[in-house]
Amino acid sequence: MSPERISATEFDGLDGLDDWRFVLGMIVAEFAMPSFPQGASLVSAIADLAESSAHHPDVQLTYPGVVRVQMTTHAVDGLTILDVDLARAISVAADSLGAEPRPTEVWDLELALDTMDADRIRPFWQAVLGYRADASGNLVDPQRRGPALWFQQMDERVLTATDSTSTSP
């Protein structure tokens, strides 16, 4: 049985997650360490926690020692208690290693495409970008490097200045 999904609103009401932000269907935290080697120590601690919980986040270490952690439960394509429990454990480990949580530095990029027929054009964009469709039909980079692409349903075509035809004498 898969763990139950947790919504953004439910996540916001949980305790012990001040370091984390709900962004585009996942939770994300960023921790600043005093040095790159100390950042690597935090990554190692996160790897140990992930192995012991059999739940694995995406972790990125950049100079001078910034560790970014992203989590979602792939089995349900969303956030679950597995993510919440591991996030709490990661925050404790980060604190014990002297990390400075930077929740205001957490952000991500998402692109929207206006369309009258998302189902018709989604396969094209999926093939061009090499993305996969999530449960909502949005396209996401399986490597989580590029921005997500979602489709904004239009009711009718909007004409622009380049759409109009001019009649020149």
Side-chain angles (χ1 to χ4, degrees), residues 41-118:
S41 294
L42 177 56
V43 171
S44 179
I46 292 169
D48 291 342
L49 290 166
E51 279 300 302
S52 68
S53 67
H55 190 64
H56 301 89
D58 294 325
V59 182
Q60 179 182 34
L61 170 62
T62 57
Y63 182 80
V66 177
V67 178
R68 180 181 169 97
V69 186
Q70 298 178 169
M71 270 190 289
T72 187
T73 301
H74 304 289
V76 300
D77 201 16
L79 186 67
T80 69
I81 194 67
L82 299 173
D83 304 300
V84 169
D85 290 345
L86 184 54
R88 286 180 176 133
I90 289 170
S91 288
V92 168
D95 185 58
S96 73
L97 291 171
E100 175 193 338
R102 301 182 350 170
T104 59
E105 298 295 317
V106 171
W107 63 274
D108 215 330
L109 178 64
E110 171 180 59
L111 302 175
L113 186 62
D114 285 342
T115 181
M116 303 258 315
D117 189 353

